[in-house]
Amino acid sequence: ALSAVKDIDALLAAILEKSRHLVGADAGSIYVIEGEGEDDAEKQLRFKLSQNDSLDYRSKEFTIKVSSRSIAGAAAVMKRSIDIPDVRRIPADAPYEFDSSWDERTGYRTCSVLAVPMINQAGDVLGVVQLINKKRNPSARLLSPGDFEREIVPMDARSRELVETLASQAGVAMENALLYEEIRRIFDGFVRASVHAIEQRDPTTSGHSFRVAQLTRRLAEVVSAVETGPYAGDKFTDEELKEIETAALLHDFGKVGVREEVLVKAKKLYPPNLRIIRARIDFIRRSIENDHLQRRLMMIESGTPDEELAILDQASERALADLDECWRIISLANEPTVLPAGDFAKVEEVAGRAYFDLDGKRRPYLEPEELKALLVAKGSLTEEELAEIRSHAAHTISFLNKIPWGRSMRRIPVYAGGHHEKLDGTGYPAGLPAEKIPLPSRIMAVADIFDALTASDRPYKKAVSLERALQILDVEVKDR
C-alpha cells in the first residue's frame, strides 16, 4: 500500500495510520527531516501531522532542531527506537525530556510513547514516527481519567518490532516518493523553461502558453464535473488533468521549427519590403517634381503666360496628392484585420499604375509579391506563410514524439498536436473529422483561440473585449 502512494503528504498520513494500527496506538505524530549534509545542527525536524482517535484536534506544522533534547529528535540522532512506558517517569540520565505543554493545552494525557526513525537504504534518517498510548482495546476511546488508567499499556517488544519493520519499509517508500516529487519538479521545470525559451522568439505572445494551459485545465475540470449533456460521461482523473495541462503548455512547441520572421510578422508586408515601397514612392515623387520643374523651365524660357504655368503647377500638385493617396491606400491595406476586411479594388488600382525607373524601364507601383501580401483578407500572412505557421502543429507532434513520456503522459503529442483540428475536417495538420479529434484537443482549441483574442495588444491586432471574443467564438461554433 505504501509503495503505491506517490504524494508525500498522503504517504506520511498512510505511514502514521498503518503504524498506529499495528501497535493499537490511540494517537501519533510524524516528523520529517529538513536540511542536507552530515551535521545534525543544520537540520530540522518538521512536525507534519498528528492523528488521535480520542481527541478532535487540528494540528499545525512547526519545526524543532534535530537534537537529543526531544524524544523524536533523540530517535533521529541515535538512529534507533526509543520506547518510553510512561513519559512522566523518564530516567534522570536520559538526554531527552517530555514536553507536556500540548497535554496541558488540550486536556489529553500522554503516557506510553514509541518513537521510531524512518531510515533509507543509505542509512539516512528521513523522519520519525511517534506513537502514543498503546491501548488494551484498540477501538476504545480515551475520554476520562479512568479510561487512561484502564486502557493504556506499555509498548510491547512485538509491537516495537513490527513498527520498526514498517518504518524501514516506510523509509524506502518515503525516499521513492521524494525522488518522484523531485523528478516531477525537474520535469515541470524543464517543460516551463522550454516553453519560456520558445516564447522568447516571439515576445509579443509572452505568457500565451501558460495562460492556455491554465484555461485548458480549468475547462477540462468543468467538463469532468458536469452530470448532464453530451459530456456527462467524460471524466478526467488528476493524472489525466496533469497530462492535459502539460500538453496545453507545449501546444506551440513546434514553433521552434518556424522561421522567426514569419512567426513575428506583424503587418502584411515585412518592414524591409515596406521601406522599399516607400523609397519607390519617394522616387516617383522626385520624378514628378523633376518633370514638373523641367517643363516649367522650358515654358518660362519660351515665354508661356502665367495662366498656363498655373495650370501646369496645379497638374503637378494633383499628381503629388494622388501619389500621397496611393501611399495612404498601401499603408491602410498593410494593416491586418481579425476578420476578413479591406478595400482591395483600390489596392489593385494602385498596383496597376506604372512609372519609369532610372533605366527608363516601365515598372508597376507594386510588384506581384507585394500586391499578393497586401491582398490578404484576414491577418497578416500569405498562403505560403500561413502554411509555414500551420506546420508548427506537425512539428509539435514530431518533436514531442521524440520524448519518452512514459505511460501517464504518452498522449501529450496527440493532444498538443491536435489543437488546430476542426470539427468540419478542414483543420490541420491531419484534417481529422470531429469524431477523431480528442476531447482534450478540442478544449485546448477553445482556450487557445480565446486567449489569442483577449490577450494584450499585439502588433497585428488589438485585444478584443470578453463579450466580442465570445461572439467570435460563437460564430466559429456555427461554422463548425
Side-chain angles (χ1 to χ4, degrees):
L2 296 182
S3 65
V5 181
K6 296 295 186 291
D7 178 79
I8 190 68
D9 289 332
L11 176 63
L12 292 173
I15 291 171
L16 183 56
E17 180 188 352
K18 304 300 181 186
S19 299
R20 289 177 55 235
H21 176 76
L22 285 177
V23 172
D26 184 59
S29 54
I30 197 162
Y31 298 79
V32 297
I33 296 285
E34 292 184 344
E36 298 178 358
E38 299 294 328
D39 189 0
D40 286 337
E42 297 180 1
K43 297 179 181 179
Q44 288 186 317
L45 269 178
R46 176 170 290 277
F47 176 88
K48 290 294 290 184
L49 64 100
S50 65
Q51 296 172 357
N52 193 309
D53 289 340
S54 300
L55 184 68
D56 185 11
Y57 180 81
R58 187 177 296 276
S59 59
K60 294 182 180 179
E61 291 189 17
F62 62 87
T63 59
I64 58 173
K65 287 186 177 181
V66 174
S67 75
S68 298
R69 295 191 63 182
S70 67
I71 296 171
V77 170
M78 294 186 286
K79 295 186 177 181
R80 64 173 177 81
S81 299
I82 295 177
D83 186 358
I84 305 174
D86 188 341
V87 294
R88 286 164 179 78
R89 297 179 182 178
I90 295 176
D93 60 349
Y96 48 81
E97 57 186 27
F98 172 64
D99 181 0
S100 62
S101 60
W102 186 80
D103 281 13
E104 294 166 0
R105 199 164 54 245
T106 62
Y108 191 75
R109 180 181 170 187
T110 301
C111 296
S112 58
V113 171
L114 175 63
V116 182
M118 295 182 288
I119 303 174
N120 66 9
Q121 292 169 313
D124 300 319
V125 177
L126 302 180
V128 176
V129 180
Q130 188 167 273
L131 305 177
I132 300 170
N133 290 349
K134 175 180 173 63
K135 295 180 290 189
R136 298 179 189 278
N137 177 10
S139 62
R141 295 187 67 190
L142 309 178
L143 303 177
S144 67
D147 294 333
F148 286 91
E149 295 289 343
R150 190 168 46 254
E151 288 291 340
I152 296 174
V153 295
M155 305 285 177
D156 58 87
R158 177 61 175 161
S159 294
R160 185 173 64 191
E161 182 182 338
L162 284 172
V163 175
E164 287 173 344
T165 304
L166 176 61
S168 67
Q169 296 298 316
V172 174
M174 187 174 170
E175 183 167 50
N176 287 341
L178 290 169
L179 287 172
Y180 177 84
E181 178 66 18
E182 184 177 6
I183 291 170
R184 189 191 64 76
R185 285 199 307 270
I186 293 171
F187 169 78
D188 287 347
F190 177 76
V191 168
R192 290 179 177 274
S194 301
V195 172
H196 181 72
I198 293 165
E199 288 197 341
Q200 288 306 296
R201 299 185 72 222
D202 183 7
T204 60
T205 62
S206 180
H208 168 73
S209 294
F210 296 99
R211 291 192 300 273
V212 169
Q214 188 179 30
L215 287 167
T216 298
R217 179 174 181 121
R218 190 69 190 95
L219 188 52
E221 289 172 348
V222 172
V223 168
S224 188
V226 298
E227 300 293 341
T228 59
Y231 298 108
D234 293 291
K235 306 296 178 187
F236 300 118
T237 64
D238 288 341
E239 197 173 64
E240 289 169 336
L241 286 170
K242 180 63 177 176
E243 181 183 31
I244 294 168
E245 182 181 12
T246 304
L249 258 178
L250 295 167
H251 76 283
D252 278 342
F253 195 78
K255 284 184 176 179
V256 73
V258 178
R259 286 180 298 153
E260 194 163 330
E261 63 175 2
V262 177
L263 202 59
V264 300
K265 190 181 182 188
K267 311 289 185 181
K268 296 180 185 179
L269 293 166
Y270 293 108
N273 298 116
L274 187 62
R275 286 196 291 269
I276 289 172
I277 296 174
R278 178 70 254 186
R280 188 182 303 145
I281 294 294
D282 289 343
F283 175 80
I284 296 171
R285 172 179 290 279
R286 294 293 176 86
S287 298
I288 293 172
E289 290 172 344
N290 288 342
D291 182 62
H292 169 252
L293 289 173
Q294 287 178 7
R295 288 190 179 189
R296 201 174 199 283
L297 183 59
M298 290 172 60
M299 291 173 69
I300 290 173
E301 289 176 346
S302 63
T304 304
D306 290 345
E307 293 80 3
E308 293 184 29
L309 290 174
I311 293 171
L312 178 67
D313 292 342
Q314 291 171 3
S316 176
E317 290 172 2
R318 284 195 299 271
L320 292 175
D322 187 57
L323 188 63
D324 288 338
E325 177 63 12
C326 289
W327 174 248
R328 190 191 70 80
I329 290 170
I330 291 169
S331 299
L332 192 62
N334 191 40
E335 296 294 329
T337 55
V338 174
L339 298 177
D343 191 349
F344 302 118
K346 288 184 178 179
V347 180
E348 290 176 320
E349 192 273 326
V350 171
R353 298 188 180 200
Y355 70 100
F356 290 95
D357 64 16
L358 288 173
D359 297 323
K361 185 177 180 181
R362 185 181 175 86
R363 307 289 298 233
Y365 273 31
L366 294 172
E367 296 293 337
E369 287 301 311
E370 296 165 346
L371 175 61
K372 182 178 181 180
L374 290 171
L375 292 180
V376 169
K378 175 184 177 182
S380 62
L381 304 173
T382 64
E383 284 299 321
E384 292 78 13
E385 292 163 343
L386 197 56
E388 185 172 350
I389 285 287
R390 286 175 173 170
S391 72
H392 84 275
H395 288 318
T396 293
I397 297 172
S398 176
F399 293 154
L400 295 182
N401 270 330
K402 290 179 171 60
I403 298 174
W405 291 104
R407 181 184 56 81
S408 65
M409 296 280 184
R410 68 185 185 280
R411 291 164 294 192
I412 282 178
V414 175
Y415 292 165
H419 71 282
H420 280 298
E421 298 290 354
K422 296 183 180 179
L423 300 183
D424 64 0
T426 63
Y428 59 90
L432 298 175
E435 64 274 10
K436 291 190 177 180
I437 304 173
L439 179 56
S441 296
R442 299 189 195 189
I443 293 172
M444 204 180 303
V446 174
D448 186 38
I449 295 170
F450 177 81
D451 185 72
L453 290 170
T454 59
S456 58
D457 292 352
R458 297 181 182 179
Y460 53 85
K461 75 162 189 69
K462 295 290 185 182
V464 303
S465 66
L466 173 62
E467 182 181 9
R468 181 67 177 136
L470 294 176
Q471 288 173 350
I472 292 172
L473 283 172
D474 193 46
V475 170
E476 294 287 331
V477 169
K478 291 173 181 174
D479 289 343
R480 287 179 58 76

